[in-house]
């Protein structure tokens, strides 16, 4: 989901400028967590989704949506009241992550 820095590390210029996405994606894995979590931040919205590798045990983990400007402590989950934003951000996140061991579905 990122851009290679290898051309720069070898002392050259990148072949193409990195594409600007308008959002940030991150993954979090922890021995304290029950499953992988994925985050996409775009503007003031932060969307969090959970991997389904252990679906039978942790399949009930739902998405989370936070407005970082009005709720910087991420206390109020807006996912149920803003389903259109959840769907839009989920599509962006899935496009970035594709498939793999900890894919979203």
């Amino acid at each position: 989901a990122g851009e290679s820095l290898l051309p720069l590390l070898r002392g050259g210029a990148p072949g193409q400028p990195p594409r600007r996405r308008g959002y940030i994606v991150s993954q979090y894995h922890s021995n304290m967590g029950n499953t992988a979590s994925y985050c996409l931040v775009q503007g003031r919205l932060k969307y969090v989704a959970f991997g389904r590798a252990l679906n039978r045990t942790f399949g009930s983990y739902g998405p989370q949506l936070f407005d970082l400007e009005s709720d910087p402590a991420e206390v109020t989950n807006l996912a149920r009241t803003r389903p259109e934003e959840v769907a839009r951000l989920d599509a962006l996140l899935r496009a970035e992550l594709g498939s793999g061991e900890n894919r979203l579905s």
Side-chain angles (χ1 to χ4, degrees), residues 30-74:
S30 168
N31 64 341
M32 301 299 288
N34 297 325
T35 187
S37 61
Y38 304 88
C39 167
L40 186 141
V41 177
Q42 185 178 50
R44 60 191 287 167
L45 295 178
K46 177 179 180 180
Y47 172 70
V48 179
F50 298 92
R52 300 292 186 230
L54 302 173
N55 199 30
R56 277 192 257 161
T57 307
F58 306 111
S60 64
Y61 285 16
Q64 298 175 349
L65 180 68
F66 301 102
D67 183 328
L68 297 175
E69 191 171 306
S70 65
D71 181 20
E74 301 175 23

